[in-house]
Amino acid sequence: MEIAPAGVVKPNTGHHHLLIDTPLPPPDQPIPSDFNHIHFGAGQTEAEITLPAGEHTLQLLLGDHAHIPHNPPVVSDVIRVRVDAATVEKIRMPAPAGASVSLIEPVDGATVGRNVKVRFGVSGMQLAPAGTNKPNSGHHHLLIDTPLPPLDREIPSDLNHLHFGRAQTETDITLAPGDHTLQLLLGDHEHLPHDPPIFSKVIRIRVANAAPEKAAQAAPKDGRQPSPPDAAVYFVYPTKGESIYPNSTIRFGLRNMGVAPAGIAKPNTGHHHLLIDVETPPLDQPLPSDLNHIHFGNGQTEKKITLSPGKHTLQLVLADDRHIPHDPPVISERIEVFVKNVRKRSRRR
């Protein structure tokens, strides 16, 4: 058969109709035209479509000049596709006019010690924790020695992109001697930059190559750091028994304690450690650091990880500046999650 636009009466011709998540319509009536029945009445042979995350079916049906299927109908096989949530474009939250973020401390051009206090400023917006969908709000992300990331997708979470998903307005970081750049970028409840994006100017600081501070010269402390009453660490995402994709962002929650990077000795603080597919290690010793015991020594509160399909266990342990759990330990329940088997379909020629 040949392709002919709708309205053109010509033997052995027709035009395409794409059926999405729907069975074949009645064969003796014009094919519907809606979100599940897409007409290509101009004779198109390809199109770009946007689908939500999840499983979908696609099928082609040829229609004549009046959008009625032929007799017998000319129809393709049904194919099934999966749309990964990570590939779905997310809608960015609008930013109010005049909103801004700024670095209050340190100032541009400052010379500082290795332990740097960084304070954030925001104007024209409210601060809200990650996961809280509230208009005209967001939370800070600190970019260290890195340019702005792509502004139409989730801000990375790594040693150069620090998230402050509890709406913190300051942090302590440890930098190597030398020159560094710092910049703030506001993200919404899903860690997406706003539209238009809200970011500070880049500042440059120099970390002095000075002798270690007296506190660092002191001998290791004996004993474990005490934890305050009712302190708790938990998973914001995923939850117990949840099914997740192989590449998923694990988000950590903490109550009645603060987060401080490794090496920063500060009462009632610690940093996260993620245990994957292992038993709880001894809690009176420094936690191991390997592929099953992941340290977040910069104070991160989330991390995108890759897991193989199947069942896995996850557990969080908070530890002090020396990676030693507190007394009593601040530790989450060990949860089981199920990683989906996302198969790549081969393309037929």
Side-chain angles (χ1 to χ4, degrees), residues 92 95 99 151 185-186 193-199:
R92 294 161 61 194
L151 298 174
L185 173 61
L186 211 67
H194 296 75
D195 187 15
I198 304 170
F199 54 86

Side-chain angles (χ1 to χ4, degrees), residues 295-344:
H295 289 226
F296 298 95
N298 275 335
Q300 304 98 306
T301 57
E302 60 178 44
K303 176 67 175 177
K304 181 171 281 190
I305 64 173
T306 300
L307 295 173
S308 60
K311 183 169 68 175
H312 294 273
T313 63
L314 304 176
Q315 189 172 32
L316 287 172
V317 182
L318 206 72
D320 66 12
D321 57 302
R322 301 163 297 155
H323 309 283
I324 299 176
H326 298 76
D327 185 19
V330 183
I331 185 169
S332 78
E333 176 188 11
R334 184 185 296 109
I335 66 171
E336 283 189 352
V337 296
F338 300 89
V339 177
K340 302 175 182 179
N341 188 2
V342 180
R343 297 179 179 176
K344 293 184 179 179

